[in-house]
Amino acid sequence: MKAVKQKLTLHQPATYQIKVPGQIGESWSDWIGGMSIAVESEGDGPPVSVLTGTLDQAALIGVLRRLYSLGLPLISVHRIEE
């Protein structure tokens, strides 16, 4: 059976993964839209916080603004296909 792709809209929630440098504690989850937070570290490199959650476009912009207000540069923002 062939999977049907949904058209992405401003109001359609989608799952996003955002990576920022440093270590953000899980206690910040509510402040960043309820996204889950995991910390990755590759070898001797600095830690990277990986935020994952389902948001519509307005909520995504809100999270990005909050990260900006903390002075955290973005490493990446990806929409994860369901």
Side-chain angles (χ1 to χ4, degrees):
M1 177 176 246
K2 186 176 179 180
V4 177
K5 285 191 172 187
Q6 288 187 334
K7 180 180 175 185
L8 186 62
T9 68
L10 290 176
H11 306 292
Q12 179 75 31
T15 302
Y16 294 94
Q17 184 179 71
I18 302 169
K19 291 186 179 185
V20 295
Q23 188 168 346
I24 298 176
E26 187 65 37
S27 62
W28 287 81
S29 178
D30 286 340
W31 193 72
I32 54 171
M35 298 183 85
S36 66
I37 302 170
V39 177
E40 296 179 348
S41 184
E42 290 188 22
D44 294 334
V48 172
S49 291
V50 181
L51 292 60
T52 306
T54 302
L55 309 166
D56 64 14
Q57 294 281 307
L60 175 63
I61 294 299
V63 169
L64 295 176
R65 285 182 184 209
R66 287 183 178 123
L67 294 171
Y68 178 80
S69 73
L70 291 174
L72 292 172
L74 297 173
I75 294 172
S76 65
V77 177
H78 293 280
R79 182 173 58 91
I80 299 172
E81 296 288 336
E82 297 292 329

